[in-house]
Amino acid sequence: MSGIDYSVWDHIEVSDDEDDTHPNIDTPSLFRWRHQARVERMEEFHKKGDDLNKSLADCRRRLAEAQKKVQELTISAKDEGKAELSKAQAEEKKLRKEEREWEKKRDDYNRDEKKQPWNVDTLSKEGFSKSVVNIKPESHEETEEEKEQKHKTFVEKNEKQIKHFGMLRRWDDSQKYLSDNPHLVCEETANYLVIMCIDLEVEEKRALMEQVAHQTIVMQFILELAKSLKVDPRGCFRQFFAKIKTADQQYQDAFNDELESFKERVRGRAKIRIEKAMKEYEEEERQKRLGPGGLDPVDVYESLPIEMQKCFDDKNIQLLQDVISKMDPTEAKLHMKRCIESGLWVPNSKPDDGDEKEEDATYEEVKQEPEEAKKE
């Protein structure tokens, strides 16, 4: 028995013959009675599961028929057939609701089944093996740094192949490519495809983005299927393609709904990234504009009285002196101090008499900044 994790037995029911019973009671008979009762409970529980699955399958069959009828009536129905179409649509809606209710009951049953304790009957069932008893230890939870490094290493090695998969269109082509490259069926591929979609949307290559988005959802569905079956994704991707290619309407609808939702999320993320890049660019430009005192000439210009703005617009020093002379000295001093700190006004840089070119050069920057402010 070496190699077995004995802690698992803590979850198994204690044998009935080990229970404390009254000495006058026939213990073997009691054991047989309890055993029979347990078997009957198990059979009743399993029958309940079978009935749920049958009911769900029947509901889905009727739903498929209703959907087909709605589709046919939508295409061919004339005015006199609108009532029949409305009735068929109502029936389809009712069956969809009924299907969700059966699915909920089945999920509840599956949860209850997992909680069932082990006993001598379940252990002796055909197909029970040592591998079930030898519960695998929980896998090591990767840190964010480990995940990032794992992703980086995988992409460096397989980037070309991932991009190729992202550009495929047909189900058969995708299945064959994954059959030839099963190592691509993993979270790292899905993560790279998501980033690839956002990059394409930022670059406004929307047709390509939608194509790669389709392949991203293909990979996500395969990974989800693997989780539900508790198997390695590389071992179940063929099941996904087999199911999606049979044109199962419900499965196809779920796939398309998830695809559309994903594309919306990609557009949202791309918009946020663009806005962030624009803000960073604007901040870089603002930093370049800052004057010797650390003030932005655009902000300072916009804070000036209209009369002073006109002076800078016209590069008219005399008019500026006249405006300042009519202002409150304290206010005028504050405005000129901010103009100097922003670079709008450079003290002691008056041009020599008659040197108009130098004067133009001195005020060219002062003029450009207000003009930029107006545009913004």
Side-chain angles (χ1 to χ4, degrees), residues 99-112:
E99 180 190 33
R100 288 193 295 270
E101 290 173 352
W102 282 119
E103 286 177 341
K104 184 180 183 303
K105 290 179 180 178
R106 182 199 59 187
D107 293 341
D108 291 342
Y109 172 85
N110 289 338
R111 279 193 292 271
D112 290 341

Side-chain angles (χ1 to χ4, degrees), residues 58-314:
D58 180 63
C59 178
R60 285 176 173 171
R61 178 185 57 76
R62 288 184 286 123
L63 176 59
E65 292 174 355
Q67 288 172 333
K68 183 179 179 181
K69 186 174 181 180
V70 169
Q71 188 176 15
E72 291 172 350
L73 289 173
T74 302
I75 296 172
S76 60
K78 298 179 181 178
D79 292 341
E80 59 271 17
K82 287 185 177 179
E84 188 178 356
L85 174 59
S86 178
K87 183 179 178 182
Q89 289 173 333
E91 178 66 15
E92 180 190 7
K93 184 177 179 181
K94 175 187 172 184
L95 287 169
R96 280 189 179 278
K97 182 181 178 182
E98 185 179 331
E99 180 190 33
R100 288 193 295 270
E101 290 173 352
W102 282 119
E103 286 177 341
K104 184 180 183 303
K105 290 179 180 178
R106 182 199 59 187
D107 293 341
D108 291 342
Y109 172 85
N110 289 338
R111 279 193 292 271
D112 290 341
E113 186 178 33
K114 290 179 181 178
K115 295 176 183 176
Q116 291 288 311
W118 292 350
N119 52 56
V120 292
D121 297 299
T122 54
L123 287 175
S124 61
K125 269 191 174 182
E126 184 181 354
F128 190 92
S129 67
K130 187 172 66 175
S131 60
V132 178
V133 180
N134 289 339
I135 295 176
K136 294 173 67 176
E138 292 185 5
S139 58
H140 165 66
E141 180 114 11
E142 294 177 320
T143 64
E144 288 303 317
E145 292 77 10
E146 288 173 335
K147 288 179 181 178
E148 186 177 344
Q149 185 57 47
K150 182 180 178 182
H151 176 79
K152 183 179 178 182
T153 304
F154 183 85
V155 169
E156 287 174 352
K157 186 177 179 181
N158 302 288
E159 186 172 18
K160 186 176 179 180
Q161 291 175 311
I162 299 173
K163 286 183 175 180
H164 181 88
F165 174 76
M167 296 300 173
L168 296 176
R169 294 178 180 274
R170 298 174 64 249
W171 298 120
D172 289 340
D173 292 339
S174 296
Q175 182 176 350
K176 184 179 185 306
Y177 196 73
L178 292 181
S179 296
D180 295 338
N181 303 277
H183 60 281
L184 294 182
V185 188
C186 62
E187 291 282 355
E188 286 70 35
T189 294
N191 293 338
Y192 183 87
L193 291 174
V194 171
I195 296 169
M196 189 175 171
C197 286
I198 298 173
D199 289 342
L200 290 170
E201 180 66 19
V202 169
E203 296 168 12
E204 298 187 351
K205 297 178 180 177
R206 293 195 171 91
L208 275 177
M209 181 280 284
E210 293 190 354
Q211 174 54 40
V212 178
H214 179 275
Q215 296 300 91
T216 306
I217 300 305
V218 167
M219 188 58 64
Q220 291 285 11
F221 262 60
I222 293 171
L223 295 174
E224 287 301 317
L225 178 61
K227 284 182 183 177
S228 67
L229 298 176
K230 297 181 180 178
V231 298
D232 190 307
R234 293 169 295 181
C236 72
F237 68 87
R238 291 178 182 81
Q239 290 173 260
F240 163 77
F241 288 108
K243 193 167 187 178
I244 202 74
K245 286 191 291 185
T246 57
D248 183 312
Q249 190 61 46
Q250 184 186 16
Y251 201 65
Q252 188 71 55
D253 289 345
F255 182 91
N256 292 334
D257 289 345
E258 183 57 35
L259 177 57
E260 291 305 314
S261 298
F262 175 70
K263 286 191 285 190
E264 279 300 311
R265 292 195 296 272
V266 167
R267 294 185 189 105
R269 293 302 305 172
K271 183 180 178 183
I272 292 172
R273 188 192 288 184
I274 291 170
E275 290 173 351
K276 183 181 178 182
M278 288 298 297
K279 287 179 181 178
E280 290 175 353
Y281 172 77
E282 290 170 0
E283 180 58 24
E284 288 175 4
E285 292 299 306
R286 194 185 76 82
Q287 290 295 330
K288 292 177 184 177
R289 290 197 303 261
L290 296 183
L295 297 183
D296 185 348
V298 174
D299 294 340
V300 172
Y301 172 84
E302 291 178 344
S303 70
L304 295 174
I306 299 297
E307 298 82 0
M308 287 189 72
Q309 289 183 2
K310 189 174 186 309
C311 299
F312 284 102
D313 290 343
D314 298 340

